Amino acid sequence: MSFTIRTLAATAAIALAMPAFAQSIEVQDPYARSASPTAKTGAAFMHIVNTGEADRLISAASPAAELVQLHTHMESGDGVMQMVHVEEGFDLPAGETIRLERGGKHVMLMGLTEPMEQGATVSVTLTFENAGDIVVDVPVDLERMPGDMDHGAMEGMDHGSDDTKAE
Ligand SMILES: [Cu+2]
């Protein structure tokens, strides 16, 4: 019994600590894609602009997928790029922009509840350590070409399989 009460008190304290005014985080140019109409996984990309204090993207959620994780790509010893679940989230330094893009950081959508269709919109809730929750309507764009940061070799491991396994 006392455990429950303490837990509720802690939750209230966290809620009070959150800023109640203008958000200093802005999401620009979001889009989501999957490799094929039958793919069970997809990913969301965007630029996250932080005009305020240092913050951290700690998690993401979406009704469009059973499991949502923050991923990045890291090069393993033999030069092969691998997708990695970043459990601590993405650092968002004060006044900086982080770019979620193909071949790099991304919001991984695993177990899509329905296929991603061109022109549809996927709702993604980003949870920040300080700024709290920001809901982003992410348009599905299957035709978007990889950006300049992408290299041809990376395309092969870009969520290309129907395998629901993430890593
Ligand atoms: Cu991923």
Side-chain angles (χ1 to χ4, degrees), residues 42-43 69-73 83-84 106-109 159 166:
Q69 292 181 340
L70 301 176
H71 280 188
T72 192
H73 284 104
M83 205 157 67
V84 185
H106 55 278
V107 175
M108 188 82 196
L109 305 165
H159 311 105

Side-chain angles (χ1 to χ4, degrees), residues 39-42 62-68 108-116 162-166:
K40 296 289 193 296
T41 62
S62 174
E66 287 164 19
L67 182 62
V68 182
M108 188 82 196
L109 305 165
M110 286 171 284
L112 296 176
T113 52
E114 53 187 73
M116 281 191 178
D162 292 345
D163 195 346
T164 51
K165 218 159 75 67

